[in-house]
């Protein structure tokens, strides 16, 4: 039997950051932990809204059941195959001077993707815009753009460069009977993107630079230049992509300058629904609602004379129907009146907390292992795929195959602890111990959550300071993350201004702060990325 030695929290944290060599922990798919995280978190959906100032609904986030049944290995294999998605699409066309609305379909086709075993590589992305069939008065677009995408891996970051292939580029736009045809040989379009992959969120930003040269029916040349940037992220609970594009059109005897701010936001809303019949076995349950908000604002800075009396700003949006999923109903009547009742219900319904809720004790201390596993489930860390054959299954039962002596493979939490280890959230001490059953204190809990969000860099001040009354009690190894947790609103002082960094975290308190983590991913990030940049009316 293993004998445990009590150690101080500070010593435990100081030593738990000693990681094992990556090559020693290559998983059974021959990927290092860092490669495995990138492989499962890289966002291949950048640009689903288009790069030309239009808007589409994009590929929605998976609902809870879809996440639970996801086949990681199948997803990995699909990156080497061709996949095509059609999206409802709108774009404002200014080639005739005044903004004209186009409505149709954006078809995005990807051939290949990021291979994390190679430091550099390339693949192809095709954007095709299809009209609904309007002719004469109105707008039609016939656009086909092949992008050659080069990428390189730099640690946890992926850098992409998109270049439009001129000999595979078509763009014919009809505006109220006038036709504008792209001249590919005189045009170019370049997009550069950096994506930073963290355990819970993939963040990215990019720049767009393009010159589109068209000819009209009178063989006149119209130049359209586009310069801008975009920001986005994708998490299990929400995603946004927001663009800010400055556009100039020069057309012989007139010109126009305007700015486009397209935005797409997806987030999951949890709603408790009370049942109406009295004679029913459960009083109600939570439902998960996928809400998409897609809009575009435009502002005209310089208008041609024939538009001086026209509005200089406006907006358009897409009406995207919500998608619903019912979540399990748990009997939590024994918690009636407990301050953590609603938090606990949400976490059990969304599978962040597992097991029989009747044995959940809100007042008991939560262990390091229980909390880390719950964080891993909250950010939907992907698990390693199951062994492919009997030999692999037998190899996993060998006693020396577990990374941590106190987290054997037969333990239910083992897959989640390993997922957290591979993502860099929690690693072992020099003696290969995880200290699974030791209570976790508040400062360590918030440190792990901020690392899950990938926001540690926000606290890089050499001596970050919080406004907590007991700030001096925060350990040096947790100070950066605790300061970030307060800055983003997930670490809140008590009524007397105290944080209590060294106090053991109870299971009820853990439920509360785990919900704060989810709410930040669900709402806080949306506000930072979409509301402040684009100001779309919701």
């Amino acid at each position: 039997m293993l004998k445990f030695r009590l150690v101080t929290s500070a010593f435990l944290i100081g030593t738990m950051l000693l990681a094992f060599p990556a090559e020693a922990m290559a998983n059974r798919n021959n990927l290092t932990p860092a490669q495995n995280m990138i492989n499962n978190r890289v966002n291949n959906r950048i640009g689903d809204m288009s790069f030309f100032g239009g808007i589409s609904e994009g590929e929605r986030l998976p609902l809870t059941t879809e996440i639970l049944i996801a086949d990681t290995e199948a997803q990995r294999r699909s990156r080497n195959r061709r996949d095509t998605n059609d999206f409802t699409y709108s774009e404002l066309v200014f080639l005739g001077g005044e903004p004209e609305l186009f409505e149709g379909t954006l078809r995005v086709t990807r051939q290949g993707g990021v291979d994390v075993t190679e430091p550099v590589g390339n693949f192809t992305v095709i954007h095709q815009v299809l009209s609904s069939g309007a002719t004469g008065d109105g707008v039609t677009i016939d656009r086909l753009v092949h992008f050659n995408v080069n990428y390189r891996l730099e640690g946890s970051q992926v850098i992409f460069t998109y270049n439009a292939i001129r000999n595979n580029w078509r763009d014919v736009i009809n505006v109220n009977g006038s036709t504008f045809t792209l001249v590919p040989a005189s045009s170019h379009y370049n997009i550069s993107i950096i994506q930073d992959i963290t355990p819970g969120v993939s963040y990215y930003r990019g720049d767009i630079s393009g010159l589109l040269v068209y000819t009209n029916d009178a063989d006149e040349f119209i130049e359209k230049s586009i310069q801008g940037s975009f920001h986005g992220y994708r998490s299990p609970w929400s995603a946004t992509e927001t663009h800010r594009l400055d556009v100039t059109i020069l057309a012989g005897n007139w010109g126009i300058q305007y700015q486009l701010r397209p935005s797409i936001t997806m987030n999951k809303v949890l709603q408790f629904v009370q049942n109406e019949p009295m004679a029913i076995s459960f009083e109600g349950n939570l439902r998960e609602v996928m809400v998409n908000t897609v809009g575009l604002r435009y502002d005209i800075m310089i208008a041609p004379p024939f538009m001086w009396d026209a509005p200089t700003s406006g907006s358009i949006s897409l009406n995207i129907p919500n998608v619903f999923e019912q979540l399990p109903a748990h009997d939590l009547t024994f918690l009636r009146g407990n301050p953590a009742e609603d938090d606990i219900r949400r976490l059990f319904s969304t599978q962040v907390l597992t097991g029989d809720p009747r044995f959940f004790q809100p007042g008991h201390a939560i262990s390091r292992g229980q909390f880390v596993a719950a964080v891993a489930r909250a950010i939907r860390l992907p698990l390693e795929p199951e062994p492919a054959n009997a030999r692999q299954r037998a190899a996993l039962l060998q006693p020396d195959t577990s990374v941590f002596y106190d987290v054997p493979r037969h333990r239910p939490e083992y897959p989640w602890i390993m997922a957290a280890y591979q993502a860099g959230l929690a690693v072992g001490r020099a003696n290969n111990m995880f200290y699974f059953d030791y209570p976790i204190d508040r400062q360590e809990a918030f440190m792990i959550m901020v690392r899950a969000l990938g926001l540690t860099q926000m606290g890089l001040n050499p001596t970050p300071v919080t406004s907590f009354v007991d700030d001096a009690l925060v350990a040096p190894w947790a100070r950066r993350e605790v300061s970030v947790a307060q800055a983003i609103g997930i670490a809140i002082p008590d009524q007397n201004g105290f944080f209590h960094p060294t106090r053991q975290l109870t299971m009820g308190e853990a439920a509360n702060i785990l919900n704060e983590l989810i709410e930040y991913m669900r709402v806080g990030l949306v506000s930072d990325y979409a509301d402040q940049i684009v100001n779309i009316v919701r």
Side-chain angles (χ1 to χ4, degrees):
M1 177 180 294
L2 292 173
K3 295 187 180 293
F4 296 92
R5 178 170 54 89
L6 183 63
V7 295
T8 65
S9 178
F11 178 74
L12 174 60
I13 299 299
T15 54
M16 83 173 193
L17 299 179
L18 298 173
F20 294 95
E23 61 271 15
M25 256 311 297
N27 64 19
R28 52 182 174 266
N29 293 299
N30 297 317
L31 299 180
T32 67
Q35 288 175 328
N36 195 53
M37 185 178 75
I38 294 172
N39 195 61
N40 287 288
R41 284 298 198 210
V42 64
N43 180 9
N44 287 312
R45 310 312 312 184
I46 298 173
D48 273 358
M49 194 167 56
S50 98
F51 293 118
F52 292 88
I55 51 175
S56 83
E57 81 267 34
E59 184 181 57
R60 68 172 175 82
L61 294 171
L63 296 169
T64 296
T65 301
E66 293 169 330
I67 293 174
L68 294 175
I69 65 175
D71 183 345
T72 303
E73 189 63 29
Q75 291 174 346
R76 181 177 296 115
R77 289 194 301 268
S78 72
R79 290 186 185 141
N80 296 317
R81 296 203 303 261
R82 183 184 181 96
D83 73 274
T84 300
N85 295 275
D86 285 354
F87 306 115
T88 301
Y89 181 71
S90 292
E91 181 177 325
L92 288 176
V93 176
F94 289 79
L95 287 174
E98 300 183 22
E100 299 283 353
L101 177 63
F102 166 80
E103 296 177 309
T105 300
L106 172 65
R107 176 169 295 166
V108 181
T109 301
R110 287 175 171 82
Q111 179 67 55
V114 175
D115 181 353
V116 298
T117 65
E118 298 291 339
V120 296
N122 60 70
F123 55 95
T124 301
V125 175
I126 304 170
H127 281 203
Q128 185 174 10
V129 175
L130 307 171
S131 294
S132 306
T135 57
D137 292 340
V139 182
T140 64
I141 298 179
D142 176 15
R143 179 181 299 151
L144 181 66
V145 189
H146 286 68
F147 289 104
N148 178 59
V149 185
N150 295 323
Y151 72 85
R152 75 174 187 269
L153 300 174
E154 295 285 349
S156 64
Q157 298 178 347
V158 188
I159 297 171
F160 301 92
T161 302
Y162 286 62
N163 283 297
I165 303 174
R166 287 175 173 170
N167 59 2
N168 279 322
W169 192 355
R170 180 179 72 247
D171 196 0
V172 180
I173 301 175
N174 185 285
V175 182
N176 298 327
S178 298
T179 302
F180 301 85
T181 303
L182 183 79
V183 183
S186 302
S187 304
H188 70 83
Y189 219 74
N190 170 262
I191 301 107
S192 176
I193 304 168
I194 180 170
Q195 182 179 171
D196 190 26
I197 299 170
T198 75
V201 186
S202 291
Y203 302 91
Y204 58 93
R205 75 165 307 276
D207 293 296
I208 294 175
S209 176
L211 175 65
L212 307 179
V213 178
Y214 296 88
T215 57
N216 61 12
D217 299 323
D219 290 329
E220 298 171 328
F221 287 94
I222 298 94
E223 291 188 356
K224 177 181 177 181
S225 67
I226 301 177
Q227 301 288 330
S229 61
F230 58 94
H231 294 79
Y233 74 88
R234 193 173 182 91
S235 82
W237 299 94
S238 69
T240 74
E241 187 169 310
T242 57
H243 296 216
R244 182 175 288 164
L245 303 175
D246 294 310
V247 186
T248 300
I249 296 178
L250 298 176
N253 60 353
W254 66 270
I256 185 172
Q257 289 184 8
Y258 56 95
Q259 185 178 87
L260 300 174
R261 284 176 286 161
S263 172
I264 177 172
T265 296
M266 313 175 202
N267 64 337
K268 298 179 181 179
V269 178
L270 298 178
Q271 301 173 337
F272 183 77
V273 183
Q274 186 80 32
N275 285 326
E276 295 183 14
M278 292 181 59
I280 190 170
S281 61
F282 59 103
E283 63 173 340
N285 71 295
L286 285 172
R287 67 182 176 192
E288 187 174 73
V289 186
M290 176 62 66
V291 179
N292 278 26
T293 303
V294 186
L296 179 151
R297 283 191 62 87
Y298 71 89
D299 293 285
I300 299 173
M301 276 71 76
I302 298 177
F306 54 81
M307 282 187 59
W308 284 352
D309 294 330
T312 58
S313 63
S315 63
I316 61 174
S317 60
L318 293 180
N319 183 22
I320 309 300
N322 295 338
V323 178
F324 297 85
E325 180 181 14
Q326 304 300 326
L327 299 179
H330 297 284
D331 181 8
L332 298 177
T333 53
F334 71 97
L335 290 174
R336 191 64 51 84
N338 189 293
E341 178 185 359
D342 185 58
D343 291 321
I344 296 168
R345 175 183 286 110
R346 286 170 174 258
L347 296 182
F348 272 108
S349 292
T350 54
Q351 299 289 293
V352 175
L353 293 178
T354 58
D356 191 334
R358 293 174 298 176
F359 298 113
F360 190 84
Q361 301 292 327
H364 288 193
I366 189 169
S367 72
R368 288 189 71 243
Q370 290 171 327
F371 185 79
V372 169
V375 170
R377 289 190 289 264
I379 62 176
R380 306 308 195 200
L381 278 180
L383 302 181
E384 291 187 38
E386 291 299 316
N389 52 52
R391 173 181 286 183
Q392 290 182 355
R393 288 192 292 271
L396 295 181
L397 297 178
Q398 299 301 314
D400 60 350
T401 60
S402 179
V403 173
F404 303 114
Y405 291 143
D406 56 339
V407 191
R409 287 186 175 273
H410 60 77
R411 193 158 189 164
E413 301 89 351
Y414 173 83
W416 298 106
I417 299 301
M418 285 310 303
Y421 167 76
Q422 291 187 353
L425 289 184
V427 292
R429 297 180 62 220
N431 61 359
N432 290 23
M433 298 289 287
F434 187 76
Y435 286 82
F436 184 99
D437 294 309
Y438 278 67
I440 191 170
D441 60 27
R442 286 172 53 81
Q443 59 188 348
E444 183 184 356
F446 281 99
M447 182 186 73
I448 291 171
M449 291 198 301
V450 169
R451 289 184 176 180
L453 294 170
L455 297 180
T456 300
Q457 61 85 23
M458 289 178 60
L460 284 182
N461 186 309
T463 56
V465 176
T466 71
S467 62
F468 298 127
V469 174
D470 52 353
D471 174 77
L473 299 180
V474 178
W477 48 261
R479 184 164 288 278
R480 284 192 309 174
E481 287 84 358
V482 170
S483 68
V484 173
Q486 184 186 36
I488 64 177
I490 63 174
I492 303 171
D494 66 12
Q495 59 185 359
N496 296 315
F498 287 85
F499 175 61
H500 304 290
T502 60
R503 191 176 70 191
Q504 291 181 359
L505 194 67
T506 68
M507 300 187 80
E509 290 170 333
N512 175 258
I513 66 173
L514 285 166
N515 269 302
E516 291 292 336
L517 172 68
I518 292 171
E519 282 299 291
Y520 181 74
M521 286 191 289
R522 196 182 68 78
V523 178
L525 283 171
V526 169
S527 177
D528 192 18
Y529 276 74
D531 297 342
Q532 294 186 33
I533 295 176
V534 182
N535 193 27
I536 292 293
V537 177
R538 298 180 183 279

